[in-house]
Amino acid sequence: MPPYKLMYRFGFAPWEWRDLDETWRPLLEGETALAPGRALDIGCGRGRDAVYLAKRGWKVTGVEFAEEALAKAREHAAGEGAEVQWVQADVGRLGQLGLEPGYDLVYDFGCIQGLPEAGRQGAVSGLTQLASPGAVLLMFAFQPNRHPMLPRGIEQSELIALLGGGWNLEQTRPVVEPHLPGFAQKAKPTVYLLSRRDGVAA
């Protein structure tokens, strides 16, 4: 398991240094906006995205391994009056947690990219199993890097191979955040938008 617990303990979570409105506006606003449904937050951290969506009518499940982060997530949700289902568990065992399939939106902002290979495979198998046909998958990842303060990252081709044939890549978008430290910017943070193929077995 990567040192996420330690990073949260010291308050260092660069994958959370995003403008939430900028992250979600393309999906939640405009003619093609997603209608609120069920959302699964993989590696929910301190719950910023989960609470943001819950306040906009989504039924959100947040899965997180780090106790420190999940405690902050619960505190944040309570302060905002948002209802979220929090699950403390290893996302590498996502398909074994007893969650009910049928999520319309699945997202991962920086978790799967840092897992060892077995954890990556388990997380992807689980999210594919839990996603509805036609579901949207939003993923944030750094490019592969060796910086000790960042997850190992993942190439686009690596990500597509990991997801297998169950998902279509619809769009990639670089994350431009002026307040990100230089070493994080050099790792080229990117958001990937994918859609679940109908009729594809998990």
Side-chain angles (χ1 to χ4, degrees), residues 145-166:
N145 67 90
R146 296 189 177 185
H147 197 283
M149 296 302 289
L150 292 177
R152 67 189 249 211
I154 191 168
E155 294 267 11
Q156 178 175 317
S157 58
E158 227 185 329
L159 176 62
I160 299 305
L162 179 67
L163 288 167

Side-chain angles (χ1 to χ4, degrees), residues 91-191:
V91 300
R93 300 178 58 253
L94 195 60
Q96 305 168 43
L97 303 182
L99 300 177
E100 183 181 351
Y103 288 97
D104 308 294
L105 171 63
V106 181
Y107 59 95
D108 162 35
F109 289 118
C111 180
I112 292 174
Q113 64 170 340
L115 299 178
E117 196 56 37
R120 287 182 171 188
Q121 294 285 350
V124 165
S125 174
L127 72 86
T128 301
Q129 171 187 329
L130 292 169
S132 296
V136 169
L137 171 61
L138 201 62
M139 299 189 73
F140 167 95
F142 293 103
Q143 292 297 302
N145 67 90
R146 296 189 177 185
H147 197 283
M149 296 302 289
L150 292 177
R152 67 189 249 211
I154 191 168
E155 294 267 11
Q156 178 175 317
S157 58
E158 227 185 329
L159 176 62
I160 299 305
L162 179 67
L163 288 167
W167 296 88
N168 290 317
L169 178 63
E170 305 288 352
Q171 183 184 11
T172 62
R173 176 166 52 87
V175 176
V176 181
E177 292 288 351
H179 59 280
L180 273 178
F183 66 84
Q185 294 183 37
K186 287 180 181 178
K188 299 180 180 178
T190 303
V191 170

Side-chain angles (χ1 to χ4, degrees), residues 53-76:
L53 290 177
K55 291 180 66 177
R56 287 157 178 79
W58 289 81
K59 295 180 179 179
V60 187
T61 300
V63 181
E64 174 58 52
F65 182 72
E67 299 97 332
E68 295 86 354
L70 203 55
K72 290 290 186 183
R74 290 192 175 101
E75 183 180 323
H76 179 39

